[in-house]
Amino acid sequence: MRTFTLIFILILTSTLYAQNNTIVLDGTVQDDKNRSISNATIIISSKNDSKATFQTVSNKEGKFKIKNISIGYYNMKVSHLEYETYNNDLSLEKDTSTNVLLMTKVSEMLDEVIVMAKYSDIKPNGETSIRVKGNPLAKGKTLSEFLQFIRDLDVSNDEINVRGRKNTLYYLDNQPISFEQLKNIQPSMIAHIDIIPHADASYGINATGGVIKIFLREEGGVIGSVSLAGKADYNGIKSTSPMATILYNRGKFSVKNFLSGVPYSRSTSMFEQQTETAQNKTVTDTKNNNRFKSLRDNLSLRYSFNKVTWLDVYGGTDFSWLRSGQNSTDGNNILSTSGKNKISGYNAGIQYQQGFGKDSLNYFRLRAEYSKNKENENADYLYNGIADNAALKSNSDHFSVQPIVHFKTTANSGLNIGLEYYYLIDRHEDNGTTTLGYIPTGHYTNKGYDYGAWIDYNILIKKKFYVYFALQYHGTQNIYSDYRSPENSTRSWEDGVYPSLFAQWLINSAKGRYLTFGFKHYYSLPNYNYRIPSVVWQSNNLYSIGNTNLKKENFYNMEIYYSFNSNWLASYNLTYCDDAIRIMTYQDETRNGTYYTKPENKGISVTHTFRIGYTTKPFKFWYNKNGLYVTLTHESMPGKSINNASIFFRSDNNFTLCRWLDLTLGIQAENKGKSLEYDYNGGFWLNAGAYMSFFNNNLNVALKCNQLIYTRNKKTIYGSDWTSIQKNLSHNTQINLQVTWNFNAGKKIRNKNLPSVNSMQRNVPTLMK
């Protein structure tokens, strides 16, 4: 008993001694204007013991506290995306309180052109975070123009590719948005952007590429922007588009609204199609004239019960009106069409998150969304003096629900489990032409059901090795019901299990040196309009039609990516695809000299892509980003195969002439190549722009000339006994002007990013672009 008592006293004494020799460090993180800074990361590292590291995050008042620190010498590092990193050495011998001043705010450094790497943060999980607020390369630009200078992104007018891969998803915080919505967000409202090179299972059935996530600023009672954009080309004014964005947050209630409109837009395109058979040669000239206007609005509301539990309610409307006209002639026959198309869309969603614990490392999240789209189109046809008309109506409903549970299993590992269900019904009522027979009469519906479940696990080892593994199950059912011809109705079911693996070795974060490996087996569902047998005429002897029997594509992808430093990168990408969907061209046996395009699952493809990227600042005023792609492709289907090698080069340049004026120059070049569908010519394209910023970056003026110098597209299609050459004769040079006023007012508050529903998109299966 005495021995036990003695041991107990010794343990208690040593414990009290240890407690008396630990230190508490607290303080308030502030800037040089005495404003508190929330979400700053504070790291205390011992200079004598590499394992003695303490970390915390400042709260909304900027306060922090670290307990149980041993006496000793430490380095204190405070970092935040909007401020320059603060470093200081401390000698801790007793409880200490300190105020940390982040002396230089990034927005006050606009007079210095700094390499993008200074505004980038490579995360151990493979993500890259790009600081936008105060970034000199974002000054005066639109968001898509700024993203051109991020080295892992390739930006075009229609999409953004991450590391050369298509099918990128766009997010505003935790909710999907469209590419058009992304382009309407002003950089002045964005705090930072996260680039996720490999989308994980939590992003749903369409997660086949990378992810771009946008996070809005965290200050201002009201933050907003108003802008007016205009476009002009060879034929005059092309479009005008006003936009307004307002974000308000106070206390537990948050409001966000995106409003955009196009009161006037027109487009003119010209094509030439040369079709040659053993008997004759036909040259068809086609000119399209379109008039378009639209109004879109997205509203989001959030109520935060506490820091880790909140409720979102959101929705939007989308109205557009299109007037189209086409004149097509081959010298003998003339087809003139004019049409009116009215599209209306409504969407609504709800998202609820229940957090467990103060740190919200464990949570349950449920998202449910619904959208409806209606389309009414009336078309008048005039063929060699014979008049006829047609009317097409579609009515679609889309519903989805996705519950997710996130577990933080240990300090450096996590487990995620999710389910997903998608439902789509698309109803069509077509009144076709009676005299010409150009548009058939139809009454049909297309239904789709998608079921999914997934589980993933991630772990960070020694702060340098990150591994992510996931298993995803997906089943899809497609039901096509033809009420006029029931024998044409089809029903299909496909499912499968899809694994993925991603690993990163963060060799040296400060130098931007890291190695990543990714493998993913995934699927791609055809655009739902590809399964609708609607006829769309492209000229008087060429039309497109959908395919009700399309199946999903299956992909196997592997990528090795190595970043030498913030300047150099190299990657290799291998993609194998079976049941690949291709737009095939056939001769219409019922109409002499008429051809049509149709999507089909045809054969396999194997693609090897080698990429080298180089980003540099040759001079203080010049920022330069370059990419070189070498692609080797093998494609095969019954009776035909091809091998093709292509080289694509791109260079984006930004020149800062003074504090308020930047110039840009973009160059792209590609050699000619071929695919199973067609051969295509190479080309050279040059874009130029000027970007001005006034009144402390509140007034921005962006002037850009797209395709100042360009090569026109040409495609050559080979049939069994015919050849068709399609040439784009349009004037592609276009001048864009956008003037934006940014504003904020009210007390300093914490903003929460709110969601919007991404509306469905229709694509016509055509080669003519």
Side-chain angles (χ1 to χ4, degrees), residues 589-696:
E589 296 180 356
T590 63
R591 295 183 178 91
N592 186 32
T594 301
Y595 302 84
Y596 66 93
T597 61
K598 183 179 181 180
E600 294 185 354
N601 296 100
K602 284 285 188 179
I604 64 171
S605 68
V606 181
T607 304
H608 306 266
T609 302
F610 303 88
R611 177 191 178 206
I612 297 176
Y614 179 62
T615 304
T616 185
K617 188 179 67 172
F619 301 99
K620 184 178 180 180
F621 61 89
W622 180 10
Y623 179 86
N624 170 247
K625 188 193 88 170
N626 306 284
L628 177 66
Y629 293 84
V630 178
T631 303
L632 307 177
T633 305
H634 171 77
E635 298 177 329
S636 64
M637 65 182 187
K640 185 178 181 181
S641 66
I642 65 101
N643 292 291
N644 181 63
S646 65
I647 300 176
F648 175 78
F649 173 75
R650 176 170 183 162
S651 178
D652 294 289
N653 303 269
N654 187 89
F655 305 93
T656 299
L657 301 188
C658 61
R659 184 183 181 90
W660 53 269
L661 176 61
D662 282 16
L663 300 180
T664 62
L665 184 67
I667 302 170
Q668 299 179 45
E670 183 179 15
N671 67 315
K672 64 181 181 179
K674 56 184 177 180
S675 67
L676 283 177
E677 300 101 311
Y678 54 82
D679 293 355
Y680 56 90
N681 67 320
F684 176 84
W685 301 268
L686 186 145
N687 304 319
Y691 304 91
M692 290 157 280
S693 177
F694 307 100
F695 304 111
N696 197 25

Side-chain angles (χ1 to χ4, degrees), residues 94-304:
K94 59 181 180 179
D95 293 350
T96 304
S97 296
T98 179
N99 286 332
V100 179
L101 299 179
L102 304 184
M103 298 301 295
T104 306
K105 198 172 183 180
V106 175
S107 59
E108 298 167 3
M109 301 176 62
L110 295 179
D111 58 336
E112 181 183 359
V113 176
I114 303 175
V115 178
M116 179 68 80
K118 192 176 183 68
Y119 291 84
S120 301
D121 179 27
I122 309 300
K123 299 182 180 180
N125 63 357
E127 300 178 11
T128 301
S129 185
I130 308 296
R131 188 168 58 208
V132 178
K133 184 181 177 183
N135 193 313
L137 287 175
K139 182 178 59 177
K141 297 182 179 64
T142 64
L143 179 55
S144 59
E145 290 160 350
F146 165 70
L147 293 176
Q148 291 178 356
F149 293 96
I150 298 178
R151 69 173 187 167
D152 280 339
L153 303 183
D154 293 322
V155 182
S156 67
N157 292 329
D158 304 316
E159 62 181 354
I160 302 175
N161 297 335
V162 179
R163 295 187 180 178
R165 296 194 310 274
K166 295 181 178 295
N167 301 321
T168 300
L169 300 180
Y170 312 102
Y171 275 73
L172 188 62
D173 191 34
N174 291 315
Q175 291 299 323
I177 59 175
S178 67
F179 182 54
E180 290 301 318
Q181 289 174 309
L182 176 142
K183 291 193 293 186
N184 290 340
I185 302 174
Q186 297 301 317
S188 61
M189 299 185 64
I190 301 173
H192 65 98
I193 298 174
D194 286 355
I195 311 299
I196 304 173
H198 297 268
D200 61 51
S202 66
Y203 291 98
I205 62 174
N206 296 314
T208 60
V211 180
I212 297 176
K213 299 186 73 171
I214 297 172
F215 297 88
L216 301 181
R217 286 168 50 184
E218 298 182 349
E219 59 196 58
V222 175
I223 303 176
S225 68
V226 291
S227 63
L228 179 64
K231 299 179 181 180
D233 60 9
Y234 177 84
N235 299 292
I237 300 297
K238 186 178 177 69
S239 70
T240 59
S241 177
M243 293 171 286
T245 303
I246 296 178
L247 177 68
Y248 174 74
N249 187 326
R250 190 176 187 88
K252 295 183 176 182
F253 190 67
S254 306
V255 181
K256 182 194 70 177
N257 193 70
F258 284 91
L259 176 66
S260 65
V262 180
Y264 171 78
S265 176
R266 61 144 192 88
S267 63
T268 301
S269 58
M270 296 178 290
F271 299 92
E272 179 186 270
Q273 179 182 342
Q274 300 178 10
T275 305
E276 187 172 355
T277 65
Q279 291 76 28
N280 57 36
K281 179 179 180 180
T282 303
V283 178
T284 303
D285 293 312
T286 302
K287 184 175 182 178
N288 297 312
N289 290 289
N290 297 317
R291 297 291 185 272
F292 175 81
K293 58 182 179 179
S294 69
L295 177 64
R296 296 170 180 165
D297 187 55
N298 282 279
L299 176 66
S300 300
L301 308 174
R302 169 175 288 185
Y303 183 79
S304 300

Side-chain angles (χ1 to χ4, degrees), residues 444-504:
Y444 49 87
T445 63
N446 200 53
K447 295 181 182 179
Y449 302 85
D450 289 283
Y451 311 87
W454 52 270
I455 182 170
D456 69 40
Y457 177 75
N458 62 84
I459 185 170
L460 178 63
I461 305 172
K462 295 184 178 180
K463 300 182 181 180
K464 287 184 175 293
F465 300 93
Y466 176 83
V467 179
Y468 166 87
F469 176 74
L471 280 177
Q472 184 175 14
Y473 167 79
H474 174 256
T476 182
Q477 184 177 32
N478 187 71
I479 303 174
Y480 169 72
S481 301
D482 191 330
Y483 300 110
R484 294 180 58 87
S485 303
E487 67 276 8
N488 294 329
S489 299
T490 62
R491 180 187 294 262
S492 64
W493 167 260
E494 301 175 88
D495 66 348
V497 176
Y498 303 88
S500 59
L501 172 68
F502 176 79
Q504 174 170 282

